[in-house]
């Protein structure tokens, strides 16, 4: 059951890599019409990536703490098998959130500077 939860958590990492569309760099000269920009202005996916990354770091920390302070060593093997993948998943999620947030910022900036409607 724990393995399934871990696999599902890692499978949804990086929503912003896939779901956020935007310029690859800051737009120097925006188009004349806002409609010509086809990009994402919602920060929902980067926000979800950030929340999921925080949850993964918290789960890794809490599971490791419980394993270290429990008298019987339960959850057995958490530090050895689950904490590392959770940490890597959190790192990927934070990078994805940063990537998506940057693209959303560049898109919003370009739309604000674009002329006409």
């Amino acid at each position: 059951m724990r393995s399934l939860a871990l696999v599902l958590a890692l499978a949804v990492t990086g929503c912003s890599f896939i779901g956020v569309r935007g310029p690859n760099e800051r737009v120097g000269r925006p188009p004349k019409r806002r409609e010509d920009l086809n990009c994402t202005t919602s920060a929902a996916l980067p926000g979800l990536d950030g929340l999921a990354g925080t949850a993964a770091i918290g789960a890794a920390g809490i599971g490791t703490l419980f394993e270290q302070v429990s008298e019987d060593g339960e959850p057995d093997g958490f530090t050895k098998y689950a904490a590392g993948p959770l940490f890597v998943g959190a790192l990927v999620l934070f990078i994805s959130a940063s990537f998506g947030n940057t693209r959303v910022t560049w898109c919003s900036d370009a739309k604000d500077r674009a002329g006409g409607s």
Side-chain angles (χ1 to χ4, degrees):
M1 188 64 163
R2 285 186 276 175
S3 299
L4 177 63
L6 183 62
V7 168
L8 287 175
L10 293 177
V12 297
T13 58
C15 295
S16 294
F17 285 131
I18 298 167
V20 175
R21 295 178 48 190
N24 291 329
E25 57 187 27
R26 186 171 296 277
V27 176
R29 186 180 306 174
K32 295 191 188 275
R33 298 180 334 152
R34 293 184 75 163
E35 296 82 28
D36 293 339
L37 286 168
N38 189 13
C39 55
T40 305
T41 57
S42 171
L45 287 178
L48 288 174
D49 282 344
L51 280 171
T54 302
I57 286 286
I62 289 171
T64 301
L65 179 68
F66 282 161
E67 182 181 31
Q68 298 302 315
V69 299
S70 71
E71 291 180 15
D72 59 356
E74 288 293 325
D76 188 37
F78 183 85
T79 304
K80 188 186 283 186
Y81 301 112
L86 280 169
F87 179 76
V88 170
L91 185 62
V92 170
L93 282 162
F94 288 138
I95 291 169
S96 175
S98 176
F99 172 85
N101 195 36
T102 300
R103 284 194 166 193
V104 166
T105 300
W106 288 343
C107 176
S108 297
D109 177 56
K111 284 194 175 203
D112 288 344
R113 294 185 296 127
S117 19

